[in-house]
Amino acid sequence: MYVHKLTIKNARSIEEAEIHFQYPDRMPRKGEPPLPGADPDGRRTLANVNLILGINGSGKTTVLKSVALALIAPVLQNSGFHLYSIVRRRAVKEPQPARAEVVAQVVLAPQDYPKGAVPAATKNPSAKLHALAATFVRKGTADTIARTTSDSGVWRQMYDRESPAFLVVGYGATRRVTSQNTDPAQLERRNLIRYLRVQGLFDEGHPLIPLASWLPAMETGNPGRWKQIVDLISLALGDDYKFEGFFVDGEYQVEKSGVRLPMGALSDGYRAYIGWVGDMLYHICMGAPSGAKLVQNRGVVLVDEIDLHLHPEWQRRVIPLLAKTFPNIQFIFTTHSPIVVGSVEWSNIHVLSVDGPIQMSEAVSGLSAEQILLSPYFGLETTRSDRKLEELAALESKAQKAVSPAEPAGDAFAAAMDYMRSLTLGTEAINAPPAEPRRAVRASPARAKRAKTVKPKREAK
């Protein structure tokens, strides 16, 4: 299943929004304009990636939650989901919206249909769309679920834990990696599996399922699938670390420059990254179609703040790496990082504003972080601190009084030079003492003696 279009009305900070998403093999529908950034054949670079941008409070996380709520709508009321402040709140004196609505138009894959009920393949996989929706109403100070898509028909499979249909997995910005051995079966006894997969978006205390709690049994029970998981984790780590499935003293090991390290000894960034990737692979593995390779599994993965704890070097590579490792997964990410933005194409980006989502068409791939921050994607006028701006304004005011370098006006010309140094080198360049001229390094007496005794080679006649 892939999300083709999401419509949101009066959900949290979003009054109204409509977003068209990218997904693998998407082609223009009848009457639809060419896809943004598409090649002549209609396909795009990083076709399975969507990146949501916006200032804090613009609704990035709300978009992810709305996708999750819409996609599990048929079983939402029986899932274990606890509703909290969904309907939009306005200023006290303004009329308050009575309800919120999320609607997702989705494309189904063969794995989403019951056995024997898969319709004949069509030339355009986006031609057939299905709607999933949930409505929430305000009752006093609380919100309740008013209406959802019926759980009958093809959606009935959402109650089947082992069904490969409707894979949707979501991770909030507080995704937590614990050292304790979380038991997946215990988690599944509390909530329906479809909600469990997205619970991290709504519950800050929801733990990730660690590799150590399920992968060792896979090595003996299904070695072929175990090997696929090990290979996918290794691919998702890129060239920095190597994962070969070594399990020592109850903990998996990774290799760095020939040295094996337990996962618990890794940095928070790597642990968080491997944590949610491993959790995602658990859900992919538990619901993968029988006989199919894991990489062929189709579904939606939602990740809030994809750059969480990651060094800029990793931010630069993380999305292309995930898109290549899992080509049949539709990813929807949020970020505040200009480095992450520079790793995708403009057609992958949706910018949230007070007037609704905007899809820009300005080139962004390959730009520097500074250029992206000053572009319409972030809209910053400057990346300098307020203190620095005040300092530059004071120096500029003095510098404007300078006559010319040929006829310096004392302090005014000095201020002009200070302004240029501060603009290019920073405040410390002005306050630092003048650099002393370098002195020639004299050779030691022993070295000088050796240099005199070396005879030049004769040139060949």
Side-chain angles (χ1 to χ4, degrees):
M1 177 169 64
Y2 298 135
V3 185
H4 180 85
K5 184 177 74 172
L6 176 71
T7 303
I8 306 172
K9 291 184 179 180
N10 292 320
R12 296 172 66 86
S13 61
I14 297 179
E15 183 173 8
E16 191 166 354
E18 183 178 287
I19 304 176
H20 293 257
F21 290 106
Q22 307 270 29
Y23 53 86
D25 301 324
R26 184 186 172 194
M27 300 292 286
R29 302 181 72 237
K30 186 176 181 180
E32 191 177 48
L35 297 175
D39 296 329
D41 64 354
R43 289 175 170 79
R44 294 141 338 278
T45 306
L46 297 181
N48 58 336
V49 170
N50 300 271
L51 190 61
I52 312 295
L53 305 183
I55 63 173
N56 289 333
S58 61
K60 299 185 301 299
T61 301
T62 298
V63 170
L64 300 188
K65 290 182 176 181
S66 297
V67 171
L69 292 174
L71 296 188
I72 67 169
V75 296
L76 192 57
Q77 300 197 55
N78 302 311
S79 66
F81 169 67
H82 298 286
L83 189 62
Y84 176 75
S85 188
I86 296 292
V87 181
R88 177 178 169 83
R89 265 67 171 169
R90 288 179 175 169
V92 177
K93 295 183 180 180
E94 295 182 11
Q96 300 296 319
R99 63 184 59 228
E101 184 179 44
V102 292
V103 181
Q105 288 187 335
V106 300
V107 177
L108 299 186
Q111 72 186 63
D112 299 318
Y113 291 94
K115 291 182 179 180
V118 180
T122 60
K123 185 177 181 181
N124 184 352
S126 302
K128 178 66 172 176
L129 296 177
H130 304 263
L132 288 166
T135 302
F136 309 91
V137 298
R138 184 198 305 276
K139 289 190 176 180
T141 59
D143 298 342
T144 61
I145 302 172
R147 185 172 64 253
T148 61
T149 303
S150 170
D151 62 0
S152 60
V154 68
W155 313 119
R156 191 67 185 170
Q157 294 180 94
M158 288 193 184
Y159 287 104
D160 185 354
R161 178 192 178 279
E162 297 181 356
S163 171
F166 319 125
L167 176 69
V168 186
V169 191
Y171 303 97
T174 57
R175 45 192 177 270
R176 185 164 59 96
V177 182
T178 64
S179 56
Q180 298 179 353
N181 211 359
T182 304
D183 182 8
Q186 185 177 3
L187 293 176
E188 292 175 24
R189 282 193 291 269
R190 299 175 188 169
N191 297 311
L192 196 67
I193 184 65
R194 307 295 165 177
Y195 174 61
L196 178 66
R197 290 174 177 170
V198 298
Q199 189 174 352
L201 286 169
F202 303 92
D203 182 357
E204 294 182 357
H206 179 67
L208 298 171
I209 298 175
L211 290 170
S213 68
W214 62 279
L215 192 54
M218 187 72 66
E219 184 173 6
T220 54
N222 192 337
R225 185 157 282 186
W226 175 86
K227 181 65 166 59
Q228 291 182 53
I229 296 167
V230 168
D231 290 344
L232 287 172
I233 294 174
S234 191
L235 285 172
L237 286 172
D239 299 328
D240 288 6
Y241 285 91
K242 191 175 182 181
F243 183 76
E244 295 181 331
F246 291 109
F247 193 61
V248 181
D249 296 331
E251 195 168 9
Y252 276 103
Q253 311 279 306
V254 293
E255 186 176 313
K256 172 75 171 178
S257 303
V259 179
R260 286 183 188 167
L261 302 168
M263 282 192 177
L266 300 180
S267 67
D268 286 345
Y270 278 112
R271 289 180 63 222
Y273 177 69
I274 296 174
W276 77 258
V277 169
D279 183 279
M280 175 185 69
L281 280 169
Y282 168 79
H283 292 296
I284 290 177
C285 187
M286 294 301 113
S290 178
K293 292 184 178 180
L294 295 180
V295 76
Q296 296 173 332
N297 211 27
R298 296 173 180 265
V300 182
V301 173
L302 314 161
V303 185
D304 205 2
E305 306 292 0
I306 182 60
D307 53 297
L308 186 69
H309 299 310
L310 295 183
H311 184 275
E313 175 62 23
W314 250 94
Q315 293 180 28
R316 188 174 62 85
R317 293 185 292 158
V318 63
I319 286 184
L321 198 58
L322 288 168
K324 183 178 179 181
T325 304
F326 303 98
N328 289 308
I329 293 294
Q330 180 188 32
F331 288 105
I332 304 177
F333 302 116
T334 72
T335 190
H336 286 290
S337 168
I339 298 175
V340 169
V341 173
S343 69
V344 302
E345 304 288 341
W346 63 265
S347 56
N348 301 112
I349 301 172
H350 306 274
V351 181
L352 299 183
S353 72
V354 293
D355 298 321
I358 303 171
Q359 187 163 43
M360 301 179 184
S361 58
E362 296 190 17
V364 64
S365 178
L367 294 181
S368 69
E370 176 86 2
Q371 290 172 317
I372 294 171
L373 286 171
L374 299 177
S375 75
Y377 290 95
F378 283 87
L380 271 65
E381 294 183 0
T382 179
T383 58
R384 301 183 189 276
S385 67
D386 289 344
R387 178 184 173 187
K388 182 66 177 179
L389 292 175
E390 292 173 2
E391 176 189 300
L392 287 172
L395 289 173
E396 182 182 17
S397 178
K398 291 181 180 180
Q400 287 175 345
K401 300 175 183 178
V403 179
S404 70
E407 297 178 3
D411 292 342
F413 181 67
M417 297 303 296
D418 285 346
Y419 176 81
M420 294 302 297
R421 283 196 297 269
S422 181
L423 190 66
T424 56
L425 299 178
T427 305
E428 291 76 7
I430 296 178
N431 298 329
E436 294 183 4
R438 291 186 177 181
R439 296 179 180 179
V441 179
R442 298 180 62 182
S444 65
R447 185 174 181 181
K449 185 177 180 180
R450 286 197 302 271
K452 289 181 180 179
T453 56
V454 176
K455 297 181 179 180
K457 294 182 180 180
R458 290 185 177 182
E459 296 183 2
K461 294 183 178 181

